[in-house]
C-alpha cells in the first residue's frame, strides 16, 4: 500500500515491465529451484549428443532439398537402377616437368595408379556385379589408345587411326577428348597415330557403393591413394591430382576440426577478458563462479539445442562447430548487461528488490536482441543449402535456450553470489524503497563531472559532429557501393575445405582441363524412334539448339551414338541388299530402323548407357529403344559461374521438348543452381529479416519514429557489410547470404540498446543521448571486444566458409559499434523520438 502512490506518480508501466518485475521477484525467492530444474532439463536434452549423426557428404551439405536437380538425380539413379549415388573420383595426371605425358616412364606411372583403382573396381560383389557397374567403360578410350600406342612403338600396329577429339576403333567412334588434354596432333598422314603429344591425362572412376560397408571400403581406398599422392619421390615423373567426394568430405571435416581447435584459443582469450572486466566489481572468491556461470550457460544452451536436434534425427554439419562459440559470444553480451545493471543498482540494498529492479531494467533490452537474433537465424533456416540451413536452425535454437538460461541460471547465480558476500542486510526506509522500485534508473545524486563520455556526447550532438558523421557515412557508402557492384556470384565446394589442402592447388591445375573440354551428360527417357520421321526430326531440332548454347562444341564433339548407328544400319542394309541381289531378289529402299540395334550393341559390349527392349520372338515389329545417355561438351568451364549458365541454358532447351522427356545430370548441378538465385535470395532474406527486426522492436518500443531509425541503421549496417565483405574477398554465394543474415541479428545488438535507453530517458536530446551512452556504451564495448576475442583465432583458419564467418563477425562488430555509438546517437539527436510515458 505504501508503494502504490509512488508507482502511480511514475510513467505508465507496460506489460513487459510487469512480467519482468515479477520474474525478478520469483527468481529471487526460488533461485536454487530454477538452477537445478534448468540444469536437469538441459542435461536431459544434451544426452542426445551421444547419438548425433555428422553429415560429411559435401554434396548433401550444399545441395538444396527441393530444386530441379532433385528430379534429375532421381532420373539418373533410376536410369542405372541405383539406390544410392555412386562414389565419384577422377585422377588428373601431368608431367612434373610440364612435358609430354606420352613418354613411356610417364605412362608407366599412370598405368600403375590406374591398375590399383581398376583392380578394386573389377572386383565382384555378392550379387555378381562389378563394383564399377554400370559405369565400367569410362576409361576404355584411354586403354585402347594406350594399347595401340605401345603396339605401334613395338612395330606391330594394327593400322587403326587414333585421332583427337575422336578416333575410329573397330568401326566405332572412341571419344578421346574426355581423357586426353593439351593434345598436339601429328599431321603426318602416313602415321596411324595422329596424336603426337599430350599435356595431361584424366581417368574417371565410379564405384557402385550401395551399402555402408562398401562406402567405407571405397573411402579407405580413396584416402590411401590420396595420401600416397602427397608423398614426393626422387624418381617421380608424374604429378597426380586426385578428386573425389570422400576426399573432399575428409578435407571438409579436417577444416572443421582445425576450426574447433582454434576456437578453444578464443575461448581462453574470452575467459581472460571476462575475468578482467569483472575483477574490479566482484570479490575474488565469487569471481570464478561468476565467470564460469557467464561462460558455461551459453555452452550448456548449445549442448541442449544440439542434443534436441539429435533426438529429432536431424544430422549435424561440419560448420556447426563454430555455433557454440557464436552463441557464447552473444550470451556473454547479455551477461555483461546483467552484471552492469546489477552493480549499477547496488544502492538498492534489499537484494530481492534489486533483482526486481534489475530485471525490469534489462528485460526489454535483452529480449529485443535475443528475439531478433533468434529470428535472424530462423530466417536463415529457410536458405536452400542444407549445411547453412541446419547451422542457422541449431544457432537459433541455442540462442533461445541461452535466453531462457540467462534468466533461470545466470540471474539466480548473481543473486546468490550477492547474498553470500553481502555483509548486513540494511532495511531501507519505506520512502527510499518506494522510490527505488518506482524509478529504478535513478541513483543517489552524484556530482557533475566533465568526463570523456560527456564531452563525446556534446560533440556528436553538435553541428561539427553531425557534419563529420555525414562525411564518414558518405565515404563509407561510396566505398561499399563499389564493393557491392563488383561482387559476382561464384561458389565452389572447395570453399568447404582448408585452402592448405592439396585439393586447393589441384583445383588450379585442373582448370585448363575444364577450359578445354567439359562434358555434360543428358538422359533421354522417351527417345525418338528413328523410323518415325516426326519424332526423329524433333530430336534433331533439340540437338541443333543445344549446339547454339554459349561454349558448347559442335556435333563433332557431341558424344552421341545414334549417328554412328545410322551408318552401321545403312551398312547392314547395303550388305543385305547385296545378298538379295545375289539371289536375284528385289531391292528395297533404305529406311532407318532399330532392327540392327541388338547387333550394334553387342559390338559395344551392351553398354548400360543404351537401353533397348528387343522385339518379341516371331514379331514383325522392331524392338524399341527405351532410353539412352548422351553428352554435349563445352569449353571455358573452369569457372563455376560459367558452368551454372551452361546447366541452366541446357535445362531450358530440354524443357522445350517435353515429348522426349530428357534430363541433364551434373553431380554439382544443385550447387550450380544456387549461384543463379543467390542474389535474389540474399536481397529477399535481408528484407524479410529487417522487417522482422522492425516488428520485434515495435512490440517493445511502441514508437514508430524510433523503430524507423533502428531499421534504417540495421539496413545501413547490412549494406555496408556486403560491400566490406566484397572488398575482403567474399563472393556472392550461400555462405555470404547466411553470414549477412547473421549480421542482421547482430546489428540489432548495437542499435536497440542505445535506442531503447534513449526512449526511456527524459530531458533534451543531448541529455538523453548522454544518458543512453552512459548506461550502454560500456556493456556494448565489452560485448564487442568479447565477440572479437572469441572469433579472433578463426581468422587463422584456412577454410573459406569458416574464415568468411569470422570476417563477417569482425566486420559487423566494427560496423555495429560505429553505427551504434556514433551514427545512431547523431540521428537520435537530430530527430529525437518522444520519451516513453
Amino acid at each position: 500500500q505504501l508503494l502504490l502512490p509512488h508507482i502511480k506518480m511514475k510513467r505508465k508501466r507496460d506489460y513487459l515491465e510487469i512480467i519482468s518485475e515479477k520474474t525478478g521477484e520469483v527468481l529471487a525467492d526460488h533461485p536454487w529451484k530454477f538452477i537445478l530444474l534448468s540444469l536437469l532439463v538441459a542435461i536431459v536434452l544434451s544426452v542426445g549428443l551421444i547419438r548425433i549423426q555428422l553429415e560429411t557428404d559435401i554434396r548433401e551439405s550444399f545441395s538444396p532439398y527441393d530444386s530441379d536437380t532433385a528430379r534429375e538425380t532421381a532420373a539418373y539413379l533410376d536410369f542405372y537402377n541405383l539406390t544410392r549415388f555412386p562414389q565419384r573420383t577422377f585422377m588428373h595426371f601431368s608431367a612434373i616437368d610440364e612435358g609430354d605425358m606420352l613418354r613411356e616412364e610417364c605412362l608407366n606411372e599412370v598405368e600403375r595408379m590406374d591398375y590399383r583403382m581398376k583392380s578394386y573396381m573389377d572386383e565382384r560383389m555378392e550379387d555378381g556385379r562389378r563394383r564399377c557397374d554400370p559405369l565400367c567403360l569410362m576409361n576404355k578410350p584411354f586403354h585402347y589408345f594406350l594399347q595401340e600406342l605401345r603396339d605401334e612403338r613395338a612395330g606391330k600396329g594394327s593400322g587403326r587411326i587414333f585421332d583427337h577429339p575422336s578416333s575410329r576403333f573397330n568401326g566405332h567412334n572412341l571419344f578421346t577428348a574426355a581423357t586426353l588434354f593439351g593434345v598436339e596432333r601429328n599431321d603426318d598422314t602416313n602415321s596411324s597415330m595422329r596424336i603426337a603429344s599430350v599435356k595431361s591425362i584424366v581417368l574417371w572412376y565410379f564405384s557402385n557403393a550401395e551399402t555402408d560397408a562398401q562406402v567405407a571400403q571405397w573411402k579407405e581406398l580413396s584416402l590411401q591413394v590420396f595420401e600416397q599422392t602427397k608423398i614426393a619421390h626422387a624418381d617421380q615423373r608424374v604429378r597426380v591430382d586426385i578428386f573425389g567426394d570422400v576426399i573432399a568430405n575428409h578435407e571438409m571435416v579436417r577444416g572443421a576440426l582445425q576450426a574447433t581447435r582454434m576456437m578453444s584459443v578464443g575461448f581462453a582469450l574470452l575467459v581472460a577478458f571476462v575475468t578482467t572486466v569483472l575483477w574490479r566489481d566482484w570479490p575474488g572468491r565469487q569471481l570464478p563462479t561468476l565467470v564460469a556461470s557467464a561462460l558455461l550457460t551459453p555452452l550448456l544452451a548449445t549442448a541442449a539445442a544440439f542434443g534436441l536436434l539429435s533426438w529429432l534425427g536431424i544430422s549435424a554439419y561440419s560448420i556447426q562447430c563454430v555455433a557454440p562459440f557464436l552463441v557464447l559470444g552473444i550470451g556473454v553480451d547479455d551477461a555483461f548487461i546483467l552484471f552492469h545493471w546489477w552493480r549499477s543498482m547496488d544502492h538498492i540494498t534489499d537484494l530481492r528488490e534489486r533483482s526486481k529492479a534489475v530485471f525490469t531494467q534489462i528485460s526489454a533490452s535483452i529480449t529485443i536482441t535475443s528475439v531478433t537474433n533468434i529470428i535472424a537465424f530462423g530466417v536463415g533456416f529457410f536458405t536452400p543449402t542444407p549445411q547453412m540451413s541446419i547451422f542457422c536452425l541449431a544457432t537459433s535454437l541455442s540462442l533461445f535456450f541461452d535466453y531462457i538460461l540467462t534468466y533461470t541460471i545466470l540471474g539466480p547465480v548473481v543473486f546468490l553470489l550477492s547474498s553470500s558476500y553481502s555483509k548486513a542486510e540494511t532495511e531501507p526506509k519505506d520512502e527510499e524503497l518506494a522510490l527505488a522500485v518506482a524509478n529504478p534508473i535513478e541513483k543517489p545524486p552524484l556530482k557533475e563531472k566533465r568526463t570523456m563520455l560527456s564531452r563525446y556526447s556534446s560533440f556528436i550532438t553538435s553541428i561539427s559532429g553531425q557534419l563529420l558523421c555525414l562525411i564518414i557515412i558518405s565515404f563509407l557508402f561510396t566505398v561499399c557501393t563499389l564493393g557491392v557492384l563488383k561482387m559476382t556470384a561464384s561458389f565452389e565446394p572447395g570453399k568447404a575445405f582448408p585452402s592448405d589442402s592439396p585439393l586447393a592447388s589441384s583445383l588450379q591445375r585442373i582448370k585448363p582441363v575444364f577450359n578445354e573440354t567439359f562434358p555434360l551428360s543428358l538422359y533421354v527417357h522417351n527417345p525418338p524412334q528413328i523410323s518415325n520421321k516426326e519424332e526423329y526430326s524433333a530430336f534433331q531440332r533439340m540437338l541443333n539448339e543445344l549446339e547454339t548454347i554459349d561454349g558448347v562444341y559442335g556435333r563433332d564433339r557431341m558424344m552421341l551414338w545414334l549417328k554412328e548407328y545410322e551408318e552401321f544400319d545403312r551398312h547392314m542394309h547395303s550388305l543385305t541388299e547385296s545378298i538379295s541381289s545375289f539371289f536375284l531378289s528385289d531391292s528395297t529402299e533404305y529406311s532407318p530402323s532399330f532392327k540392327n540395334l541388338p547387333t550394334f550393341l553387342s559390338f559395344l559390349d551392351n553398354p548400360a548407357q543404351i537401353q533397348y527392349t528387343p522385339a518379341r520372338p516371331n514379331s514383325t515389329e522392331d524392338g524399341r529403344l527405351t532410353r539412352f545417355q548422351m553428352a554435349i561438351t563445352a569449353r571455358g568451364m573452369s569457372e563455376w559461374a560459367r558452368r551454372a549458365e551452361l546447366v541452366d541454358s541446357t535445362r531450358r532447351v530440354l524443357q522445350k521438348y517435353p515429348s522426349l522427356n530428357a534430363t541433364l545430370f551434373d553431380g554439382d548441378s544443385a550447387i550450380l543452381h544456387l549461384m543463379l538465385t543467390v542474389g535474389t535470395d540474399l536481397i529477399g532474406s535481408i528484407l524479410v529479416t529487417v522487417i522482422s527486426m522492425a516488428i520485434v522492436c515495435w512490440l517493445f518500443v511502441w514508437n514508430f519514429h524510433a523503430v524507423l531509425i533502428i531499421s534504417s541503421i540495421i539496413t545501413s549496417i547490412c549494406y555496408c557489410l556486403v560491400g566490406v565483405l566484397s572488398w575482403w574477398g567474399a563472393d556472392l554465394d550461400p555462405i555470404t547470404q547466411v553470414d549477412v543474415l547473421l549480421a542482421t541479428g547482430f546489428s540489432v545488438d548495437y542499435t536497440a540498446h542505445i535506442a531503447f535507453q534513449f526512449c526511456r530517458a527524459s530531458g533534451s536530446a543531448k541529455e538523453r543521448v548522454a544518458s543512453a551512452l552512459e548506461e550502454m556504451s560500456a556493456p556494448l564495448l565489452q560485448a564487442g571486444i568479447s565477440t572479437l576475442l572469441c572469433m579472433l583465432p578463426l581468422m587463422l583458419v584456412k577454410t573459406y566458409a569458416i574464415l568468411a564467418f569470422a570476417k563477417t563477425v569482425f566486420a559487423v562488430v566494427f560496423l555495429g559499434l560505429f553505427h551504434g555509438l556514433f551514427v545512431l546517437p547523431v540521428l537520435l539527436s537530430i530527430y529525437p523520438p518522444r520519451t516513453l510515458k
Side-chain angles (χ1 to χ4, degrees), residues 519-773:
L520 180 61
S521 296
L522 309 180
Y523 295 85
V524 184
H525 303 281
N526 187 28
Q529 303 305 307
I530 60 175
S531 58
N532 187 314
K533 293 184 178 180
E534 184 176 347
E535 291 182 4
Y536 203 39
S537 176
F539 179 73
Q540 294 296 330
R541 289 197 302 272
M542 184 184 77
L543 296 183
N544 292 335
E545 286 198 49
L546 290 172
E547 288 179 317
T548 63
I549 296 174
D550 184 32
V552 173
Y553 284 110
R555 196 71 61 93
D556 60 324
R557 294 206 181 195
M558 186 177 290
M559 289 182 276
L560 177 63
W561 58 274
L562 273 174
K563 181 179 179 180
E564 185 181 345
Y565 170 73
E566 283 189 69
E567 296 177 1
F568 176 82
D569 187 46
R570 190 181 296 274
H571 173 74
M572 292 297 293
H573 178 267
S574 300
L575 184 61
T576 303
E577 287 298 298
S578 299
I579 297 175
S580 298
S581 62
F582 178 79
F583 289 102
L584 302 178
S585 300
D586 295 334
S587 61
T588 59
E589 184 179 356
Y590 170 72
S591 176
S593 70
F594 283 138
K595 64 181 179 181
N596 292 313
L597 185 56
T599 305
F600 177 81
L601 295 179
S602 66
F603 289 148
L604 299 179
D605 292 334
N606 295 303
Q609 289 83 356
I610 306 172
Q611 300 180 12
Y612 174 76
T613 302
R616 287 174 296 182
N618 302 322
S619 173
T620 58
E621 299 179 353
D622 296 337
R624 183 171 183 83
L625 178 66
T626 53
R627 49 189 181 179
F628 67 88
Q629 181 259 343
M630 57 174 286
I632 59 175
T633 58
R635 57 184 175 272
M637 295 296 152
S638 62
E639 298 298 328
W640 281 56
R642 290 272 292 154
R643 284 182 61 188
E645 294 171 0
L646 171 67
V647 168
D648 186 58
S649 299
T650 303
R651 186 179 287 124
R652 288 201 302 268
V653 171
L654 299 183
Q655 291 171 350
K656 292 171 64 176
Y657 297 90
S659 61
L660 297 172
N661 189 18
T663 60
L664 63 85
F665 181 77
D666 184 309
D668 305 307
S669 60
I671 302 172
L672 298 173
H673 176 75
L674 295 176
M675 297 175 58
L676 300 173
T677 60
V678 66
T680 304
D681 292 342
L682 176 60
I683 295 174
S685 299
I686 291 177
L687 287 176
V688 170
T689 308
V690 171
I691 292 172
S692 301
M693 304 299 101
I695 293 174
V696 172
C697 292
W698 169 259
L699 292 176
F700 292 97
V701 178
W702 289 101
N703 188 313
F704 177 78
H705 191 170
V707 171
L708 183 62
I709 292 178
I710 293 174
S711 301
S712 301
I713 294 295
I714 294 173
T715 305
S716 174
I717 293 175
C718 291
Y719 181 78
C720 293
L721 175 68
V722 176
V724 169
L725 291 179
S726 176
W727 286 113
W728 212 346
D731 297 319
L732 186 58
D733 55 34
I735 295 174
T736 301
Q737 178 184 356
V738 172
D739 287 346
V740 173
L741 293 180
L742 171 154
T744 307
F746 268 5
S747 62
V748 179
D749 296 356
Y750 301 101
T751 55
H753 296 304
I754 296 293
F756 186 72
Q757 293 301 328
F758 181 91
C759 291
R760 291 174 68 101
S762 59
S764 65
K766 177 181 176 181
E767 293 171 339
R768 295 167 68 188
V769 166
S771 176
L773 291 176

Side-chain angles (χ1 to χ4, degrees), residues 304-487:
F306 278 43
L308 177 59
L309 293 178
S310 181
W311 283 121
L312 296 176
I314 299 176
S315 300
Y317 293 90
S318 60
I319 196 173
Q320 287 175 233
C321 68
V322 302
F325 304 96
L326 174 62
V327 177
L328 179 62
I330 298 175
V332 170
D333 296 352
D334 292 340
F336 280 134
I337 295 175
L338 173 60
F339 299 155
H340 170 78
W341 281 101
W342 190 268
R343 300 306 297 167
S344 297
M345 293 186 177
D346 57 5
H347 58 282
I348 305 178
T349 54
D350 187 324
L351 295 182
R352 186 171 182 269
E353 297 303 328
R354 192 196 300 187
S355 176
K356 293 164 59 177
V358 168
F359 281 101
T360 300
Q361 182 63 29
I362 70 171
S363 288
S365 187
I366 289 181
T367 302
I368 290 174
T369 56
S370 297
V371 171
T372 50
N373 276 306
I374 291 169
I375 291 177
F377 283 101
V379 173
F381 169 68
F382 296 99
T383 56
T385 310
Q387 177 162 175
M388 308 310 292
S389 175
I390 300 303
F391 166 73
C392 288
L393 174 62
T395 307
S396 181
L397 192 59
S398 300
L399 291 172
F400 172 71
F401 286 157
D402 179 63
Y403 173 68
I404 295 175
L405 296 182
T406 299
Y407 282 88
T408 60
I409 292 182
L410 191 57
V413 166
V414 173
F415 175 84
L416 292 173
L417 290 177
S418 300
S419 301
S420 66
Y421 77 82
S422 183
K423 294 181 179 179
E425 296 288 344
T426 304
E427 292 294 336
K429 297 179 181 180
D430 293 337
E431 294 82 359
E432 181 186 352
L433 178 59
L435 181 62
V437 175
N439 190 3
I441 299 179
E442 294 184 6
K443 304 176 187 179
L446 299 173
K447 294 181 180 180
E448 281 293 329
K449 293 191 297 184
R450 187 71 174 172
T451 63
M452 180 182 296
L453 188 58
S454 64
R455 289 196 297 269
Y456 176 71
S457 301
S458 299
F459 171 72
I460 62 176
T461 55
S462 66
I463 298 297
S464 300
Q466 295 167 2
L467 182 60
L468 178 62
C469 179
L470 178 62
I471 294 173
I472 296 177
I473 282 292
S474 300
F475 175 77
L476 183 62
F477 269 56
T478 300
V479 173
C480 291
T481 299
L482 295 175
V484 171
L485 293 177
K486 83 178 189 69
M487 186 173 261

